[in-house]
Amino acid sequence: MAGFADSPYFLGVLLISAFTMPIVFMVWIRNTARYGREPWRNVIRAFLWGAVFSVIVAVIFSLILAATLGQVGPLNTFLIRRFHDPDVVFLIIGALIVAPIVEEAAKGLGVREGRPEIQGLLDGLVYGAAAGLGFSATENLIYGVNTLLSPDGGATASLAVIAIRSFSSSFLHASSSATFGYGLAKAWLTRRTWAFVPYYLLAVIMHSTFNLLTTIGVLYATPYGETVGFVAAVAFALVAITIVRLKLAAHPRTVAGNR
């Protein structure tokens, strides 16, 4: 395994592993709709936008926002006094503030690929989920490669990280982006420019809550904190994606004027 892990072919294995389940989930969610399923070409384009361009946008603006928040003295002073560890402060700013704000906005850009086909609010759920799953696939790959190259990682660990994230973070990204996609569909269909804002904020809160649960063991160093937090985060993501699927399965297309 060690020899194969050192070969370029193993990167292909990681790529396939990172994208397989998000693609399966994309098909699953798209086919959940009972009426007027979205065209594959638009769904796939939303997925690819999330996998490529949303990631690039998120990286650039995450660096900008993180650098900006790093200059906010009162915020950093408060966090240092509370947690006494610069690494923990960096984690809080990055995982609980920067990532949710920037990544949800970046994934929302992918929903535009479905705009020509959006005729009801529920259509936004599908394109939002597709963009979010594309983003999660690339993120899975990045984490997998990082684990592979880590001194404490390796081939087996990298595949394990991708597998775990495929059934946790992927659901979070799909459900939070679906929420934002619903809001964007509402804004476009009602021609109310700012109608998406509450849904974007809800997506950010969902994302931040998930990240808080996954990092609670680090923040508070409680016994079994990391395990309990991770289980709670997975449960949160599963509930969120289940709600999205139930909404798609239970209702015909919902036009903006009826919701």
Side-chain angles (χ1 to χ4, degrees):
M1 183 70 172
F4 180 64
D6 293 333
S7 73
Y9 297 108
F10 190 70
L11 292 178
V13 172
L14 290 182
L15 177 65
I16 293 171
S17 300
F19 275 76
T20 295
M21 293 315 300
I23 290 174
V24 170
F25 297 146
M26 177 189 69
V27 174
W28 181 48
I29 291 174
R30 182 263 181 188
N31 289 343
T32 297
R34 296 172 59 188
Y35 306 94
R37 290 176 177 173
E38 301 307 307
W40 276 116
R41 65 182 182 278
N42 296 82
V43 175
I44 292 173
R45 285 170 62 181
F47 181 92
L48 292 176
W49 181 279
V52 180
F53 299 108
S54 292
V55 173
I56 295 172
V57 170
V59 169
I60 294 172
F61 283 92
S62 290
L63 293 173
I64 294 173
L65 182 56
T68 301
L69 292 177
Q71 301 302 313
V72 180
L75 173 63
N76 288 271
T77 300
F78 169 78
L79 292 175
I80 284 290
R81 288 177 177 174
R82 177 65 181 82
F83 294 99
H84 312 292
D85 186 342
D87 291 336
V88 173
V89 171
F90 180 79
L91 175 65
I92 292 173
I93 292 176
L96 305 187
I97 302 175
V98 173
I101 291 173
V102 174
E103 291 180 7
E104 292 309 321
K107 289 183 291 177
L109 296 174
V111 182
R112 298 182 310 159
E113 295 301 313
R115 184 171 183 176
E117 297 293 335
I118 289 180
Q119 301 177 31
L121 300 182
L122 298 185
D123 298 345
L125 292 177
V126 176
Y127 292 111
L133 286 167
F135 187 95
S136 75
T138 300
E139 193 176 65
N140 290 347
L141 178 61
I142 292 171
Y143 275 87
V145 171
N146 183 62
T147 303
L148 176 66
L149 299 178
S150 171
D152 299 326
T156 302
S158 65
L159 291 173
V161 165
I162 288 175
I164 292 170
R165 291 185 59 83
S166 292
F167 290 93
S168 55
S169 298
S170 290
F171 286 150
L172 178 278
H173 281 299
S175 55
S176 61
S177 295
T179 301
F180 188 20
Y182 187 93
L184 288 171
K186 186 170 186 176
W188 293 332
L189 293 171
T190 62
R191 300 184 184 279
R192 288 186 290 156
T193 305
W194 301 105
F196 71 87
V197 172
Y199 300 92
Y200 167 69
L201 294 177
L202 178 57
V204 170
I205 292 171
M206 291 169 64
H207 195 149
S208 186
T209 300
F210 178 87
N211 286 356
L212 173 62
L213 292 172
T214 59
T215 58
I216 198 166
V218 176
L219 297 179
Y220 295 102
T222 57
Y224 308 108
E226 291 188 22
T227 301
V228 173
F230 176 75
V231 171
V234 172
F236 177 81
L238 285 172
V239 169
I241 198 64
T242 299
I243 292 173
V244 170
R245 290 195 68 246
L246 288 175
K247 193 168 183 65
L248 282 170
H251 299 284
R253 284 189 171 188
T254 306
V255 297
N258 294 335
R259 178 69 65 181

